[in-house]
């Protein structure tokens, strides 16, 4: 049913109960798709409801709710995770109910899962090597020989032998990539800071990531063997970032180590266990089908798809049917970090799994399915959901233009930026100038990362996680990164004049950078004859003179070159007896302008739409 609406546009209406399900991050384009409407008319309706949005901008539930209520629909927002949960539900797999049903008796202590992060060259790799070699039971197993993406070591803690699982990819890139896909694997982060160098940009970045993921941090003050090492200075520097050492009355454990000389490693592991025991409930039910996350995967010439997975709960067995992301199969064999085969793997155990049909991505969740057929069907359904989501309009996270609006609605308080420039001087100058903008009380400007060189995949991943905008000064996107930014909806802006970048950011912060609309003419038609109809109002028998005439678009009427009526809508459009959605140049058609009846022969009907004006 079409009915006039706010702003004089027509939109198909619901009956007040018609449910429209939208994925989180959807835009007016997506909504328009679902109700078979013209996105431009939804922009207009929303505008008349007092909100300005572009057709591609991602909107929140409230905004959709207001719009939907106006049009007779009920909105249900679903996240990708919820969609997947429903998909699993259709196979009788309910992970939430499973967790809820678990009582204290079912839960058994499990090792903590630890990630090592910090600035480049501060010793992350060396530390992971050192930890690997301190394993108190590694001797018997022959030492850790395989790099499978994660390993488990054992340490003595208060007289008890305890296991710890380490993610064996140093740096926060892996951490960020996994979090960007919604997977939280890490229980505890070790932040490595070189005592002879101090807190550096990536130190701050790493701690920001850990803190925003609510992951407790243990600080390893490394390279204390070096001349010029100043461990006290590190403690002092980090207090600025809410990491206050226990010695100074805080609750963060700092341990002085030398990854090279392998000193302080036992104390570090002890601190990790103490922190984990104090902050976290590290228990899981081992007596059920395994659930977990894929840590890394590759295609091996001889063995096919090889994936390292971390079991998070349950126990994985050889022979289990599993699905990891969109890969599925049966566990043909399992190997641990010593290259030994295993028949089963319990909570917090990383294992290499052979037998998957394809290579899952890092951060994909995996689970054991009742049988191989179910595993395959889940994988196939996920694959088609992914394809559909990709085809649906790319989602926009936040752009400088939306920021103002989000700010006014109290939805954001911080503008996060990633700065990249061609030379470090320019980046510093830009950062200095940006941080000097007087932004008032209610908004914060945070530069979450800065660097020299092209905008890389990691920059985009960071921006994805922290909803940041990337500013490139005299730099380009690295190859293939544009596609990623596009897919993730990250706003990347390029500048070659510092002041322009500053002006735009300042305008966004001060609420002045609204999207600009411009009128775009779509077509014009000349009235040849006017048919009077008591039922439909007057119909203008016309010939399209330029462009095309489309139903539901805005229109105005000109008589001898003068405007006689504005703000009309092409309410009906016919080719002979049939309804048409558009009629092209040179063709005849019947145009109805709703209640506007004052048409005369030789009048010109012009149609147009409002489009967002691209910024330079
Ligand atoms: P990453 O980039 O954080 O993984 O750092 P690496 O582990 O690769 O270490 C960077 C450099 O610092 C290497 O040359 C290491 O040998 C050196 N290094 C790491 N830890 C120590 C340490 O405790 N003492 C000293 N003197 N050098 C270290």
């Amino acid at each position: 049913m079409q009915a006039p609406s706010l702003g004089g546009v027509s939109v198909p209406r619901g009956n007040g109960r018609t449910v429209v399900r939208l994925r989180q991050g959807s835009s007016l384009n997506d909504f328009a798709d679902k109700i078979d409407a013209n996105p431009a008319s939804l922009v207009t309706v929303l505008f008349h409801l007092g909100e300005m949005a572009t057709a591609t901008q991602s909107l929140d539930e409230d905004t959709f709710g207001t719009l939907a209520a106006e049009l007779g629909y009920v909105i249900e927002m679903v996240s990708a995770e919820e969609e997947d949960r429903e998909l699993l539900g259709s196979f009788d797999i309910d992970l939430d109910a499973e967790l809820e049903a678990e009582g204290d008796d079912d839960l058994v202590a499990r090792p903590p899962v630890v990630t090592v992060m910090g600035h480049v060259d501060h010793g992350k790799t060396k530390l992971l090597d050192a930890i690997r070699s301190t394993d108190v039971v590694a001797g018997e197993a022959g030492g850790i020989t395989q790099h499978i993406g994660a390993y488990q070591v054992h340490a003595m803690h208060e007289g008890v032998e305890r296991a710890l699982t380490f993610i064996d990819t140093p740096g926060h890139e892996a951490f960020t990539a996994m979090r960007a896909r919604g997977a939280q694997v890490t229980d505890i982060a070790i932040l490595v800071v070189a005592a002879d160098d101090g807190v550096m940009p990536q130190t701050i970045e790493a701690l920001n990531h850990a803190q925003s993921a609510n992951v407790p941090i243990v600080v390893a003050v490394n390279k204390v063997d070096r001349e010029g090492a100043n461990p006290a200075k590190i403690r002092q520097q980090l207090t600025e970032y809410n990491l206050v050492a226990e010695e100074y009355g805080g609750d963060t454990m700092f341990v002085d180590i030398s990854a090279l000389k392998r000193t302080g490693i036992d104390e570090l592991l002890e601190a990790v266990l103490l922190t984990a025991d104090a902050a976290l409930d590290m228990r899981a039910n081992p007596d059920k089908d395994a659930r977990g996350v894929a840590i890394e995967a590759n295609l091996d010439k001889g063995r096919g798809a090889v994936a390292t997975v971390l079991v998070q709960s349950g126990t994985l067995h050889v022979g289990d049917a599993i699905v990891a992301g969109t890969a599925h199969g049966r566990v043909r064999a399992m190997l641990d970090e010593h290259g030994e085969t295993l028949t089963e793997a319990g909570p917090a155990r990383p294992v290499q799994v052979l037998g998957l049909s394809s290579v899952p991505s890092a951060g994909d969740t995996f689970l054991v399915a009742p049988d191989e057929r179910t595993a395959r069907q889940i994988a196939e359904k996920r694959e088609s959901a992914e394809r559909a989501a990709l085809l649906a309009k790319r989602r926009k996270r936040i752009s400088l233009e939306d920021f103002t609006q989000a700010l006014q609605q109290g939805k954001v308080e911080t503008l996060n930026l990633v700065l990249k420039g061609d030379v470090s001087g320019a980046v510093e100058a830009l950062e200095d100038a940006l941080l000097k903008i007087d932004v008032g009380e209610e908004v914060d400007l945070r530069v979450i990362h800065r660097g020299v060189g092209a905008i890389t995949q990691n920059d985009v991943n960071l921006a994805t996680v922290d909803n940041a905008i990337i500013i490139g000064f005299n730099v380009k996107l690295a190859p293939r990164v544009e596609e990623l930014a596009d897919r993730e909806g990250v706003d990347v802006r390029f500048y070659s004049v510092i002041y322009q970048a500053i002006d735009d950011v300042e305008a966004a912060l001060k609420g002045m950078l609204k999207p600009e609309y411009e009128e775009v003419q779509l077509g014009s038609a000349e009235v040849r004859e006017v048919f009077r109809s008591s039922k439909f109002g007057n119909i203008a028998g016309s010939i399209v003179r330029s462009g095309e005439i489309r139903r539901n678009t805005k229109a105005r009427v000109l008589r001898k070159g003068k405007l006689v009526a504005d703000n009309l809508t092409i309410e009906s459009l016919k080719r002979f007896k049939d309804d048409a959605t558009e009629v092209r140049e040179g063709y005849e058609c019947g145009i109805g302008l709703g209640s506007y009846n004052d048409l005369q022969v030789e009048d010109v009907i012009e149609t147009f739409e409002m489009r967002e004006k691209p910024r330079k």
Side-chain angles (χ1 to χ4, degrees):
M1 192 177 71
Q2 301 269 329
S5 152
L6 284 165
V9 295
S10 290
V11 173
R13 290 179 166 257
N15 64 10
R17 273 164 285 126
T18 320
V19 174
V20 175
R21 289 169 62 87
L22 289 173
R23 242 197 202 202
Q24 243 136 41
S26 290
S27 62
L28 289 179
N29 267 338
D30 302 316
F31 188 24
D33 242 18
K34 297 258 159 128
I35 62 168
D36 214 6
N38 178 347
S41 50
L42 293 188
V43 172
T44 311
V45 175
L46 195 61
F47 181 79
H48 283 266
L49 288 170
E51 297 226 29
M52 184 103 86
T54 65
T56 52
Q57 172 184 340
S58 135
L59 301 178
D60 64 6
E61 189 165 0
D62 285 352
T63 311
F64 275 125
T66 313
L67 179 63
E70 177 64 29
L71 300 176
Y73 298 97
V74 179
I75 289 286
E76 264 181 42
M77 297 298 274
V78 287
S79 62
E81 291 81 37
E82 270 166 331
E83 254 182 16
D84 197 58
R85 212 171 296 148
E86 279 168 28
L87 189 154
L88 292 176
S90 68
F91 290 94
D92 269 338
I93 300 174
D94 186 341
L95 301 179
D96 294 329
E98 186 180 288
L99 280 181
E100 256 168 50
E102 282 168 4
D104 263 358
D105 300 347
D106 301 315
L107 301 177
V108 175
R110 62 162 178 86
V113 179
V114 190
T115 302
V116 175
M117 307 206 275
H119 195 72
V120 63
D121 272 350
H122 279 199
K124 299 178 293 292
T125 312
K126 262 274 177 301
L127 175 61
L128 280 163
D129 288 344
I131 293 169
R132 209 180 279 126
S133 70
T134 61
D135 189 4
V136 294
V137 301
E140 299 147 41
I144 295 171
T145 50
Q146 317 279 316
H147 283 262
I148 66 167
Y151 62 77
Q152 208 168 64
V153 293
H154 300 79
M156 295 304 287
H157 177 59
E158 290 167 354
V160 185
E161 185 192 305
R162 297 268 302 264
L164 298 101
T165 300
F166 281 86
I167 305 296
D168 199 7
T169 25
H172 47 247
E173 270 149 62
F175 186 81
T176 324
M178 281 196 215
R179 259 189 81 213
R181 324 192 80 242
Q184 172 118 353
V185 187
T186 304
D187 296 312
I188 294 252
I190 294 183
L191 182 64
V192 180
V193 191
D196 61 340
D197 197 16
V199 171
M200 299 300 276
Q202 284 166 294
T203 316
I204 296 162
E205 206 177 291
L207 79 85
N208 281 341
H209 283 302
Q211 282 172 341
S212 69
N214 259 330
V215 169
I217 295 171
V218 172
V219 181
V221 181
N222 191 28
K223 307 198 187 181
V224 292
D225 58 293
R226 282 238 174 121
E227 215 174 300
N230 188 352
K233 188 175 133 211
I234 308 295
R235 286 166 173 73
Q236 200 234 317
Q237 283 183 327
L238 283 172
T239 54
E240 268 178 56
Y241 302 92
N242 286 329
L243 286 183
V244 183
E246 285 189 321
E247 308 92 284
Y248 297 148
D251 53 11
T252 305
M253 299 193 70
F254 282 64
V255 184
D256 293 344
I257 65 165
S258 164
L260 186 74
K261 301 249 152 55
R262 300 194 172 165
T263 57
I265 306 299
D266 291 342
E267 290 78 1
L268 179 63
L269 298 184
E270 178 114 24
V272 167
L273 289 168
L274 277 170
T275 303
D277 289 348
L280 309 162
D281 178 15
M282 288 178 306
R283 295 183 302 164
N285 177 8
D287 292 321
K288 63 174 188 186
D289 287 342
R291 283 87 180 74
V293 176
I295 304 282
E296 65 171 51
N298 64 289
L299 200 58
D300 185 288
K301 256 197 207 133
R303 298 184 296 173
V306 180
T308 297
V309 302
L310 177 75
V311 178
Q312 292 181 300
S313 64
T315 299
L316 184 63
H317 303 91
V318 169
D320 281 346
I322 63 170
V323 46
T326 58
H328 61 93
R330 188 175 280 285
V331 179
R332 204 167 67 225
M334 289 195 290
L335 299 165
D336 67 7
E337 60 274 31
H338 309 287
E340 310 264 320
T341 57
L342 298 177
T343 53
E344 56 172 51
R349 172 120 266 309
V351 274
Q352 222 175 29
V353 168
L354 310 187
L356 281 172
S357 58
S358 57
V359 180
S361 312
D364 275 345
T365 55
F366 90 87
L367 55 92
V368 168
D371 51 65
E372 246 182 299
R373 190 164 150 260
T374 311
R376 194 190 66 234
Q377 285 174 341
I378 293 172
E380 283 169 0
K381 283 244 164 87
R382 277 184 180 159
E383 210 173 336
S384 61
E386 259 179 29
R387 225 177 297 128
L390 212 69
L391 283 178
K393 286 291 159 305
R394 273 111 215 239
R395 66 185 160 146
K396 208 63 211 139
R397 271 160 211 282
I398 194 158
S399 67
L400 266 192
E401 282 82 7
D402 327 331
F403 179 77
T404 295
Q405 199 191 3
L407 187 70
Q408 280 158 357
Q409 294 165 353
K411 286 170 197 146
V412 290
E413 280 145 13
T414 311
L415 175 61
N416 289 332
L417 295 176
V418 172
L419 307 181
K420 291 303 282 274
D422 54 345
V423 288
S424 61
V427 178
E428 279 159 27
L430 185 58
E431 181 170 3
D432 278 353
L434 286 172
L435 294 176
K436 275 198 199 113
I437 298 177
D438 178 17
V439 292
E441 292 281 287
E442 62 286 356
V443 46
D444 254 350
L445 180 78
R446 255 179 55 195
V447 175
I448 58 163
H449 179 55
R450 82 281 297 143
V452 174
I455 294 160
T456 64
Q457 195 171 335
N458 192 45
D459 297 329
V460 174
N461 274 336
L462 280 170
T464 305
V465 176
D466 283 324
N467 214 1
I469 290 159
I470 301 181
I471 291 192
F473 182 75
N474 280 338
V475 291
K476 291 198 238 145
L477 287 160
R480 288 186 304 279
V481 175
E482 182 165 9
E483 197 206 33
L484 178 70
D486 211 31
R487 196 169 64 232
E488 296 293 344
V490 171
D491 188 16
V492 184
R493 310 175 74 98
F494 301 94
Y495 296 90
S496 53
V497 180
I498 285 193
Y499 290 107
Q500 239 152 37
I502 296 164
D503 279 355
D504 277 4
V505 171
E506 185 163 4
L509 290 168
K510 294 194 170 156
M512 292 178 306
L513 201 64
K514 302 216 172 83
E516 284 173 27
Y517 292 87
E518 65 187 342
E519 192 184 297
V520 179
Q521 192 170 344
L522 298 174
S524 66
E526 184 189 324
V527 179
R528 292 287 193 77
E529 207 176 342
V530 179
F531 303 99
R532 316 217 171 255
S533 150
S534 53
K535 200 161 148 212
F536 299 110
N538 288 353
I539 300 292
S542 319
I543 178 157
V544 181
R545 287 297 187 204
S546 68
E548 56 179 35
I549 301 295
R550 235 186 279 151
R551 192 139 47 104
N552 291 333
T553 50
K554 304 269 266 171
R556 60 171 64 108
V557 177
L558 303 173
R559 189 165 299 153
K560 299 196 168 64
K562 287 218 175 73
L563 180 74
V564 292
D566 204 352
N567 231 344
L568 306 171
T569 302
I570 307 287
E571 301 250 331
S572 73
L573 184 65
K574 279 188 191 293
R575 279 281 293 154
F576 304 107
K577 289 261 167 297
D578 301 325
D579 279 333
T581 47
E582 54 186 45
V583 178
R584 290 175 182 286
E585 184 176 333
Y587 289 92
E588 292 183 338
C589 59
I591 298 174
L593 293 172
S595 55
Y596 183 78
N597 284 324
D598 183 25
L599 283 163
Q600 294 182 9
V601 172
E602 286 185 15
D603 281 353
V604 173
I605 299 173
E606 276 185 5
T607 62
F608 57 93
E609 68 181 8
M610 301 305 286
R611 275 194 204 146
E612 190 186 348
K613 214 165 138 178
R615 278 171 189 281
K616 285 186 278 293

